[in-house]
Amino acid sequence: MFKNRAIIFDLDGVIVDTAKYHYLAWKETAIKLGFDFTEKDNERLKGVSRMKSLEILLSIGKIELSQDEKEKVADMKNNLYKELISNITPNEILPGAKQFIETVRSAGILTAIGSASKNAMIVLEKLCLVPLFDAIIDGNSVIKAKPHPEIFLKAAEALKISPKNCIVFEDSEAGIEAAKAAGMRCVGIGSPEILNNADIVVSGLDKMNLNRLIDI
Ligand code: BG6
Ligand code: MG
């Protein structure tokens, strides 16, 4: 039933609870720059590349920086983030995520990661999840960041599965827009009020099973 089908998973906030660490690192960066950064504003940064996130952050703080300064601030945020993830363990895999990925693989569905993060591989290795994916496409593999569909189209190409037979799991508005632009169906992970463009929204992978996949 699931022959020639694939699921492409976003990483941060879908499989592992690292979205909170990206937020904390940006918040600390904002405070260093002299302004506050709320969780509501953070929704705009989810799924978005590091440099694009910085542009959004600076626009919120009404701060203008030179290219050189921007690169230094982006490095500072990345160092803060890397420090926060340095001790993560498989305990931080979100509820039901590993089980759901294993279930779909046993049903013959191919699996890929489609993450904007250039740190995706470090996180997957720390969580011992690398063997659960047939392809891993991250922020180092693409030129155009979400909401552009490049990341998901590259994942489908690596898996040799047509985009219309791929389902994306995403926790960000930018990622859902990217999935739709790629011609894929999309399951939102989080709140239906925020992720209203997804085909369905669930609170986490622990709420998913093979039967629910058939209806999407
Ligand atoms: C995404 C996160 O997965 O990766 C964003 O949702 C983050 O918050 C982006 O900005 C880029 O991550 P990194 O690790 O390359 O800075
Ligand atoms: Mg995410």
Side-chain angles (χ1 to χ4, degrees):
M1 183 192 291
F2 293 113
K3 215 172 153 266
N4 293 323
R5 304 269 157 176
I7 297 185
I8 307 171
F9 294 91
D10 173 48
L11 177 66
D12 298 315
V14 170
I15 291 177
V16 57
D17 205 6
T18 37
K20 67 177 182 216
Y21 295 133
H22 279 294
Y23 170 57
L24 288 174
W26 281 124
K27 192 174 172 72
E28 202 170 323
T29 306
I31 290 167
K32 281 190 178 38
L33 291 170
F35 63 98
D36 194 22
F37 176 59
T38 66
E39 243 179 303
K40 186 168 179 281
D41 286 332
N42 186 57
E43 285 304 318
R44 294 173 59 198
L45 270 59
K46 281 189 182 171
V48 176
S49 72
R50 195 179 308 159
M51 280 318 272
K52 185 80 209 298
S53 297
L54 176 61
E55 302 283 354
I56 298 171
L57 189 86
L58 293 176
S59 74
I60 292 167
K62 300 189 177 54
I63 288 180
E64 280 184 27
L65 296 180
S66 68
Q67 193 51 34
D68 228 40
E69 289 167 328
K70 281 182 193 166
E71 266 153 37
K72 283 197 185 112
V73 175
D75 280 353
M76 180 175 83
K77 183 269 172 180
N78 194 41
N79 289 334
L80 289 168
Y81 178 68
K82 278 167 90 170
E83 209 177 300
L84 289 167
I85 59 165
S86 62
N87 292 321
I88 59 166
T89 67
N91 282 339
E92 286 181 71
I93 297 175
L94 286 163
K98 191 165 182 207
Q99 293 84 331
F100 180 64
I101 301 164
E102 283 168 348
T103 302
V104 300
R105 286 178 68 81
S106 343
I109 299 172
L110 295 181
T111 54
I113 287 287
S115 166
S117 175
K118 293 186 173 168
N119 294 299
M121 208 59 195
I122 305 177
V123 172
L124 288 167
E125 274 165 4
K126 280 185 184 287
L127 302 178
C128 309
L129 290 178
V130 176
L132 288 188
F133 299 98
D134 301 293
I136 294 172
I137 309 293
D138 65 12
N140 301 296
S141 336
V142 291
I143 297 166
K144 296 187 175 124
K146 300 171 188 175
H148 192 279
E150 182 182 8
I151 207 153
F152 295 134
L153 292 172
K154 276 213 162 146
E157 193 185 319
L159 299 171
K160 300 191 174 58
I161 300 287
S162 155
K164 68 177 188 333
N165 289 334
C166 295
I167 299 177
V168 169
F169 282 70
E170 257 294 347
D171 71 321
S172 71
E173 293 171 273
I176 292 168
E177 208 181 316
K180 292 279 143 192
M184 299 175 181
R185 282 157 301 146
C186 188
V187 178
I189 301 288
S191 134
E193 287 83 56
I194 296 172
L195 307 177
N196 47 27
N197 286 331
D199 293 289
I200 63 162
V201 179
V202 292
S203 58
L205 292 178
D206 54 342
K207 300 289 180 313
M208 283 304 301
N209 55 45
L210 287 178
N211 283 337
R212 285 200 86 169
L213 274 185
I214 299 167
D215 302 329
I216 300 164

